[in-house]
């Protein structure tokens, strides 16, 4: 057996931080105790004194198969970006690509050799297939290990009856449905100067949001609204969350260095909307209030903000590439949340790992440092001062809203294999495997 012993690290046990030794055996955590001796004389030992041990984080909605096919170096950039953020599991939606048969498409994707380090799973899209029946959703859950579904909303009026049946099946199986809301301008029409017309598109968006929330409550389906950026959206979500299983993924509106000057086709770097007077970005106070609640998650920042990426064998977090914001998300949450006392480190671990693992049907295999769990471990150095500064939109002139980033990932293990050691990446030592998931009840 291949062992690695991590000594004196702070881990979360029952919501509290405790100093423990952690022993990795092959791809599992096989012992957690106050004092563990080397099982073999040659067993590697890492002294994690003063550092935190975090379960590998989970990216629940990333189109990784598209990202790694951009160019020859895309796979290496993707792996390094995920490792930099402590991400050891990724999940992407499955749409028709080479086939309109969901079985054929799932089979094809499950047998591809992506070369990514992270373990991976899929949300099956409810849209776009030739025909998707309620029995098909049951099949995906029972035989393919697909424990979540993906819905592009709104759908055509004549599809509502079928969709309602599918949502009832998801409710029966306790499989959540991630809802990707259509936003104004996605069909190619942008109303950046005509506020009267644009205001109407916002009103339509809010009505569409309310209609899917009503449908979820009616069918008792668990849904998660993706990429929520604005106060007006959140107010609706919180109203319906009191009536049913409504979750939401909130965008944390941060900028690093000059990232606030970056826009994509004239859109907000957060939402896809031009930020106009009719909508209000979520405030910092609102975000932290919500993120302390179990029905809210933090969304990953946008990727592909730059045309070309950078690949290095060593850690370079302050060099802009398409994953610039993603790579620094953990430092932003740690700096803005933990060091200021808004959340504890235990709450941070729950937010980025444990809570997400439960919702995605991965707990306790993922999302927790516990006997028998996968050896996906991140060693976090809380004392490292970064040469990067973070601020909220419109707040860059206020000292109290301008932070030097603190903390960084020092070691990352994926299934017991060290892929980052604080100095260099070894992203060729392990390949991700497909995850069969079951709803966490």
């Amino acid at each position: 057996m291949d062992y690695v012993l991590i000594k004196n690290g702070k881990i979360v046990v029952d919501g509290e931080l405790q100093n423990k030794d952690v022993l990795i055996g092959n791809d599992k955590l096989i012992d957690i105790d106050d004092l563990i001796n080397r099982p073999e004389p040659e067993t590697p030992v890492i002294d994690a004194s003063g550092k935190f041990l975090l379960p590998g984080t989970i990216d629940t909605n990333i189109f990784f198969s598209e990202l790694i096919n951009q160019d020859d170096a895309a796979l290496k950039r993707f792996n390094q970006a995920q490792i930099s953020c402590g991400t050891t599991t990724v999940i992407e939606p499955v749409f028709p690509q080479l086939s309109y048969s969901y079985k054929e498409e799932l089979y094809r994707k499950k047998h591809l050799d992506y070369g990514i380090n992270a373990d991976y799973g899929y949300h099956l899209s409810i849209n776009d297939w030739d025909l998707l029946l309620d029995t098909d959703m049951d099949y995906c859950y029972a035989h393919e290990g697909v424990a979540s579904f993906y819905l592009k909303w709104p759908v055509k009026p004549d599809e509502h009856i079928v969709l309602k049946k599918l949502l009832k099946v998801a409710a029966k199986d306790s499989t959540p449905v991630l809802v990707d809301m259509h936003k104004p301008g996605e069909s190619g029409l942008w109303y950046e100067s005509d506020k009267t017309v644009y205001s109407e598109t916002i009103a339509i968006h809010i009505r569409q949001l309310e209609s899917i929330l009503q449908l979820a409550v009616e069918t008792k389906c668990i849904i998660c609204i993706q990429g929520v950026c604005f106060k007006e959206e959140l107010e609706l979500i919180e109203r319906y969350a009191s009536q049913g299983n409504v979750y939401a993924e909130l965008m944390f509106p941060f900028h690093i260095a000059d990232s606030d000057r970056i826009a994509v086709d004239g859109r907000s770097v957060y939402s896809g909307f031009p930020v106009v007077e009719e909508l209000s970005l979520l405030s910092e106070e609102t975000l932290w209030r919500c993120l302390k609640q179990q029905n809210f998650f933090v969304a990953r920042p946008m990727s592909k903000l730059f045309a070309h990426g950078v690949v290095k064998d060593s850690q370079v977090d302050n060099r802009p590439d398409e994953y610039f914001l993603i790579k620094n998300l953990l430092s932003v949450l740690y700096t803005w949340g933990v060091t200021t006392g808004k959340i504890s480190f235990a709450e941070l671990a729950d937010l980025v790992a444990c809570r997400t693992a439960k919702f995605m049907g991965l707990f306790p295999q993922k999302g927790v440092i516990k006997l028998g769990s996968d050896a996906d471990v991140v060693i976090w150095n809380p004392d490292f001062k970064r040469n990067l500064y973070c601020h909220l939109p419109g707040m860059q002139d206020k000292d109290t809203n301008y932070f030097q980033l603190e903390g960084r990932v020092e070691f990352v293990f994926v299934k017991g294999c060290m892929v980052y050691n604080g100095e260099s990446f070894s992203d060729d030592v392990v390949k991700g495997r497909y995850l069969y998931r079951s709803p966490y009840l």
Side-chain angles (χ1 to χ4, degrees), residues 425-440:
F425 297 96
S426 302
D427 49 8
D428 57 350
V429 298
V430 62
K431 288 186 178 180
R433 61 193 171 194
Y434 177 73
L435 295 166
Y436 286 82
R437 300 179 289 133
S438 297
Y440 179 77

Side-chain angles (χ1 to χ4, degrees), residues 148-315:
S148 53
F149 295 89
Y150 195 86
L151 173 64
K152 291 184 291 184
W153 181 261
V155 299
K156 297 175 183 177
D158 61 358
E159 297 175 346
H160 278 222
I161 294 176
V162 173
L163 175 62
K164 191 172 181 179
K165 290 181 180 179
L166 296 179
L167 293 183
K168 287 182 177 179
V169 174
K172 172 180 67 70
D173 293 336
S174 298
T175 48
V177 176
L178 279 64
V179 179
D180 183 8
M181 293 289 300
H182 181 276
K183 294 180 172 61
E186 287 186 341
S187 60
L189 298 174
W190 284 97
Y191 305 104
E192 294 180 76
S193 58
D194 190 337
K195 288 189 177 181
T196 302
V197 178
Y198 188 72
S199 296
E200 177 60 20
T201 68
I202 292 174
I204 292 171
H205 170 71
I206 296 299
R207 288 200 298 270
Q208 290 170 347
L209 174 59
E210 184 161 22
S211 66
I212 187 59
L213 291 169
Q214 289 172 341
L215 187 57
V217 171
E218 180 184 349
T219 59
K220 297 182 172 58
C221 177
I222 303 168
I223 67 166
C224 182
I225 307 297
Q226 301 292 286
V228 175
C229 307
F230 299 110
K231 172 186 174 183
E232 293 79 1
E233 296 171 315
L234 180 61
E235 288 173 348
L236 267 180
I237 290 167
E238 290 195 297
R239 187 197 313 166
Y240 282 90
S242 63
Q243 305 173 43
N245 293 315
V246 175
Y247 294 73
E249 183 188 73
L250 307 182
M251 294 295 292
F252 195 94
F254 69 90
H255 295 307
I256 296 175
D258 295 332
S259 69
D260 56 336
R261 296 178 174 82
I262 301 166
V264 181
D265 300 330
R267 285 170 266 184
S268 159
V269 294
Y270 308 116
S271 63
F273 286 103
V275 178
V276 292
E277 296 174 1
E278 287 82 358
L279 290 171
S280 306
L281 281 171
L282 296 174
S283 69
E284 180 190 359
E285 293 75 17
T286 298
L287 278 163
W288 290 120
R289 173 181 64 79
C290 290
L291 292 177
K292 282 176 169 284
Q293 302 172 39
Q294 291 296 308
N295 63 318
F296 290 103
F297 308 97
V298 62
R300 295 297 176 105
M302 288 181 66
S303 59
K304 303 176 74 171
L305 294 180
F306 297 83
H308 301 288
V310 179
V311 176
K312 293 287 184 183
D313 290 331
S314 59
Q315 174 75 297

